Amino acid sequence: QVQLVESGGGLVQPGGSLKLTCVATRFTSAYYAIGWFRETPEKGREGLACISRSTGTTYYADSVKGRFAISRDNAKNTVQTVYLQMNNLKPEDTAVYYCATERGPDSLANECIATMNDDGLDTWGKGTLVTVSA
């Protein structure tokens, strides 16, 4: 079973930047993508970005397009590190941020954000808190 560990959260001022890291272990070809989503009590879960395991194609929610960027290192065996670079942060970006994945065919990667918003992906980490405040 894949395991995901997020890190990099913290307190940042409005307009600042932060880079989150997700380390996925036992991330095999059975999984089609890794995504980032965030949660707040007020807004619930919001899918932000995904990156396809097989092609590296990236997908973004409209709300973060142009401000957030998902990327990855070359996988080492079954360890995959994925990043979420967040720029021009706003107070409304305050949330707990999670990385997530699930098993399935590669063709599902382009539905990754919608899946995160609807049912959620099958596996996610413990999350990392991002607070944007002056």
Side-chain angles (χ1 to χ4, degrees):
Q1 179 73 8
V2 66
Q3 289 190 329
L4 303 160
V5 178
E6 306 92 340
S7 63
L11 174 64
V12 62
Q13 293 188 341
S17 297
L18 212 55
K19 188 172 186 177
L20 306 183
T21 300
C22 169
V23 178
T25 55
R26 294 191 288 276
F27 182 68
T28 68
S29 58
Y31 300 88
Y32 62 85
I34 290 180
W36 285 95
F37 69 94
R38 63 188 178 191
E39 275 195 340
T40 63
E42 299 80 17
K43 298 179 184 178
R45 182 175 59 236
E46 179 185 12
L48 303 172
C50 289
I51 186 163
S52 166
R53 181 200 55 78
S54 61
T55 66
T57 303
T58 57
Y59 306 89
Y60 296 96
D62 289 342
S63 60
V64 300
K65 203 172 291 184
R67 292 196 303 129
F68 290 11
I70 189 170
S71 62
R72 66 182 185 184
D73 288 342
N74 290 329
K76 297 180 181 179
N77 294 320
T78 61
V79 179
Q80 176 72 75
T81 301
V82 173
Y83 306 97
L84 185 68
Q85 175 69 47
M86 306 186 294
N87 299 324
N88 190 23
L89 284 163
K90 307 173 183 179
E92 51 264 40
D93 293 317
T94 295
V96 180
Y97 285 71
Y98 301 85
C99 61
T101 188
E102 69 177 14
R103 295 172 180 265
D106 294 342
S107 58
L108 291 180
N110 64 355
E111 301 174 18
C112 176
I113 291 180
T115 302
M116 284 194 288
N117 287 333
D118 294 340
D119 301 325
L121 300 181
D122 290 343
T123 305
W124 57 93
K126 294 184 178 180
T128 185
L129 176 63
V130 173
T131 303
V132 184
S133 175

